Amino acid sequence: MLGAALGDPDEQVRVSAVSRLGYTGRADAVAPLVALAADRSPRVRSMVAYALGRLDKDEATPALLQLLQDSDRHVREDAAEALGSVGGPAAVDALLALAAGQDLQTRVQAAKALPKAVDSGSRVAPQLVSVLIQSRSHQ
């Protein structure tokens, strides 16, 4: 039943199904969610990013990295937030790259997501402090 809802033509049905999968906590929910990372609806893609973050599984990282490049700002923000939740070296690398970027809004989003990934490695905390100092100096 949930599988059929993921392919439903109605955007809201797909959003609800993706949300439901995200709350399962099951590792086998990652693959069906990843399949919707290229959905035509930004709302669905945004919920995919959120749901993958809720699952907190390393297998979600490649799809979240893809969603960081999405044309929709909200999708990109949700992907960054989810990367912080997932953590791990690849997620931290991507967030640190965003935090060092030129765009203030992107740096702020990365700075919001990085604290979630502090347990992912010893380099996160010092880099987070550096990002915050840089942000203050650009004000």
Side-chain angles (χ1 to χ4, degrees):
M1 181 169 120
L2 197 53
L6 291 171
D8 196 279
D10 186 304
E11 172 187 275
Q12 186 55 47
V13 172
R14 293 192 314 278
V15 167
S16 296
V18 166
S19 174
R20 184 85 179 243
L21 267 179
Y23 282 98
T24 65
R26 296 173 48 138
D28 62 350
V30 172
L33 290 172
V34 166
L36 286 173
D39 192 274
R40 67 188 173 279
S41 165
R43 286 185 60 224
V44 172
R45 295 191 310 272
S46 183
M47 183 54 72
V48 165
Y50 176 80
L52 288 171
R54 295 272 315 156
L55 290 175
D56 193 19
K57 306 291 183 204
D58 288 336
E59 300 83 17
T61 301
L64 291 170
L65 293 173
Q66 172 190 342
L67 290 169
L68 273 182
Q69 308 305 316
D70 197 273
S71 60
D72 186 87
R73 180 184 59 85
H74 193 73
V75 173
R76 292 190 306 269
E77 290 173 356
D78 286 342
E81 187 79 17
L83 281 169
S85 297
V86 171
V92 169
D93 288 346
L95 290 172
L96 290 174
L98 289 175
Q102 296 298 316
D103 180 63
L104 178 61
Q105 187 173 16
T106 302
R107 289 198 327 260
V108 168
Q109 190 62 40
K112 288 165 59 177
L114 276 166
K116 293 180 173 185
V118 166
D119 292 338
S120 292
S122 60
R123 62 197 170 112
V124 175
Q127 288 292 340
L128 183 56
V129 170
S130 174
V131 167
L132 294 172
I133 290 170
Q134 285 178 344
S135 293
R136 290 191 59 98
S137 68
H138 285 99
Q139 290 180 347

